């Protein structure tokens, strides 16, 4: 491949970092369940579940990366075993709907509203990931772009719902957490924006080793923000609401 | 083998997805035990046990798959180590009776009825799996078909019991869960129907790599619905009944 030894190692380190952060966040979140009132425990449980699922997939991604390349002298050669991109998409298919459900659960809406919002937002998130995958693995730029456009439709729906649809419910939240919940919704929108941008890197001039490195490291950073940092924000909201409600 | 690289990877991804879903569902179900009245905890414990057993078997299935094939250039060759179909059947032998017992337990029938229904339905389920296995590993289509027919006998008995026999008990359930319990029984019938159909794929014209891919991915999807989705439905029933009685 056109990957340099430095690029290869950098990506590997990023994956290992991702694994460590996700595993640590999982343990922290689950240990913290007992600090939270029963009504908010499911939100915290799911936050930890999301980072646990991600930890597993970072392990698989790292192993697949190591199997795909070998160091020969001071250069990198492909072994023939392909680097499996699908682990990311499998991870997202599971975790992206769950991330939205975390946010909905911590708001503690009426049961009907919780269920309908979970189904609509979770379903749109799953659709977005499924539509992105054929583009990710496509060789041709045209195909990559077409699926990007298709996947942007549910993406925009979700962002719209978070920015406009959830705002009404946020104004009914207790005052001491309104800022945090707004922060969590904003964090989702901003961190999620990274993904469609990173996806376009190969189309906007990054090629070869630089493109691979930028895409893999970019997704890893975005994942850490969207899962671990977000999960801890959800925990903070749950702790404050538990305190306020006594 | 006649398996293409794309098919090989797709099946591997499906197994990894199965493993992640089953493990995540296990943790979620066990963490949720505390949200449920003691009378319903055993049903939820068993739901998590079923997905835990499945997670273990998906790991074994995935490792067996990786050991059975190797990527040479851009094609797939068999290594000689056979792909072990038995893991699925061992898994089913344990989990299929437990799935029926989950449903019976969450209904909270009289103790005698719980025991007799568990023995009869659980026994029929075990028999169904045992009769299917010789067909699954048979080379000859005739043998495959014969054991399919034999295994269909306990299958039809179970479906009949769920559709007709359990209906009487369902009408004695509290009103707020009748819909959910009906839904769970229907989910069993529909998701279980997949298995004998998938089993027939090789007899109805799918051959080579396409047949293997269709069978393995088909079973994996059916397993996720029948174990993880079903387990969460059982949890939802248990939570609602706990609230109503509590
Ligand atoms: C819109 C769009 C995409 C969006 C992906 C997103 C928004 C992923 C979010 C992942 C998260 C939040 C992971 C968790 O940690 C894809 C699939 C790249 C394909 C191109 C178009
Ligand atoms: C009728 C029939 C079968 C039925 C299998 C079933 C119904 C399996 C259910 C498995 C479940 C529910 C797994 C759990 O998750 C076999 C054995 C394929 C053999 C062919 C005939």
């Amino acid at each position: 491949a056109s990957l340099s030894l430095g690029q290869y190692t950098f990506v590997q380190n990023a994956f290992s970092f991702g694994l460590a952060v996700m595993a640590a966040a999982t343990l922290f979140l689950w240990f913290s369940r007992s600090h939270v009132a029963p009504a908010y425990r499911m939100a915290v449980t799911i936050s930890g579940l999301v980072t646990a699922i991600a930890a597993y997939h970072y392990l698989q991604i790292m192993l697949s990366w190591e199997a795909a390349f070998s160091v020969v002298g001071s250069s990198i050669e492909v072994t023939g075993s392909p680097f499996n991109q699908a682990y990311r998409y499998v991870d997202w298919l599971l975790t992206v709907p769950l991330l939205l459900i975390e946010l909905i659960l911590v708001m503690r809406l009426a049961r009907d509203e919780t269920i309908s919002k979970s189904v609509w937002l979770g379903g749109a998130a799953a659709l977005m990931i499924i539509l992105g995958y054929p583009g990710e693995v496509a060789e041709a730029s045209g195909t990559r772009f077409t699926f990007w456009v298709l996947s942007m439709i549910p993406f925009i729906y979700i962002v719209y719902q978070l920015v406009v649809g959830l705002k009404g419910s946020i104004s009914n939240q207790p005052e001491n957490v309104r800022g945090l919940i707004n922060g969590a919704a904003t964090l989702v929108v901003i961190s999620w924006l990274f993904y469609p941008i990173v996806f376009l890197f190969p189309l906007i001039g990054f090629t070869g080793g630089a493109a691979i490195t930028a895409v893999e490291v970019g997704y890893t950073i975005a994942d850490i923000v969207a899962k671990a940092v977000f999960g801890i924000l959800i925990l903070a909201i749950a702790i404050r609401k538990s305190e306020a409600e006594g």
Side-chain angles (χ1 to χ4, degrees), chain A:
Chain A
S2 48
L3 215 59
S4 74
L5 180 56
Q7 288 168 337
Y8 169 75
T9 316
F10 188 57
V11 171
Q12 196 183 21
N13 293 335
F15 291 158
S16 177
F17 181 69
L19 168 54
V21 172
M22 296 301 181
T26 304
L27 291 167
F28 180 71
L29 289 165
W30 284 345
F31 278 130
S32 305
R33 286 177 76 244
S34 55
H35 299 307
V36 158
Y40 299 108
R41 278 201 195 135
M42 201 181 274
V44 176
T45 304
I46 293 181
S47 303
L49 215 52
V50 164
T51 51
I53 294 170
Y56 165 73
H57 284 109
Y58 270 98
L59 177 64
Q60 289 284 35
I61 289 172
M62 195 169 78
L63 295 176
S64 170
W65 183 256
E66 287 172 6
F69 302 100
S70 62
V71 182
V72 179
S74 62
S75 71
I76 295 294
E77 303 201 344
V78 293
T79 58
S81 161
F83 173 56
N84 191 347
Q85 299 272 13
Y87 286 126
R88 268 194 199 290
Y89 279 79
V90 169
D91 177 73
W92 293 345
L93 187 59
L94 285 165
T95 57
V96 178
L98 290 175
L99 285 167
L100 294 169
I101 292 172
E102 275 173 44
L103 185 60
I104 295 165
L105 280 177
V106 88
M107 297 182 68
R108 205 182 174 186
L109 309 171
R111 173 166 288 174
D112 284 354
E113 216 184 332
T114 300
I115 294 177
S116 77
K117 280 205 193 311
S118 296
V119 169
W120 278 98
L121 288 176
L127 186 67
M128 170 184 82
I129 302 303
I130 291 171
L131 287 172
Y133 185 63
E136 184 74 76
V137 296
E139 300 285 320
S141 304
T143 316
R144 194 175 183 92
F145 187 69
T146 308
F147 284 99
W148 182 84
V149 171
L150 290 176
S151 176
M152 283 304 279
I153 300 168
F155 179 80
I156 288 167
Y157 166 77
I158 295 169
V159 170
Y160 177 82
Q161 285 297 322
L162 290 179
V163 173
V164 180
L166 232 51
K167 279 277 135 69
S169 317
I170 289 177
S171 61
N172 295 327
Q173 293 287 311
E175 230 189 82
N176 69 329
V177 294
R178 235 177 266 163
L180 278 179
I181 294 190
N182 250 318
T186 310
L187 186 79
V188 169
V189 172
I190 292 180
S191 65
W192 288 33
L193 266 175
F194 270 90
Y195 294 89
I197 295 172
V198 169
F199 184 94
L200 288 181
F201 280 177
L203 298 185
I204 57 178
F206 285 96
T207 51
I212 296 172
T213 307
V215 168
E216 296 307 329
V217 175
Y219 279 154
T220 304
I221 295 170
D223 271 6
I224 289 172
V225 175
K227 286 174 170 132
V229 177
F230 179 74
I232 289 174
L233 210 52
I234 294 289
L235 173 65
I237 295 169
I239 290 176
R240 284 222 193 153
K241 289 183 84 170
S242 303
E243 283 168 2
E245 290 164 21

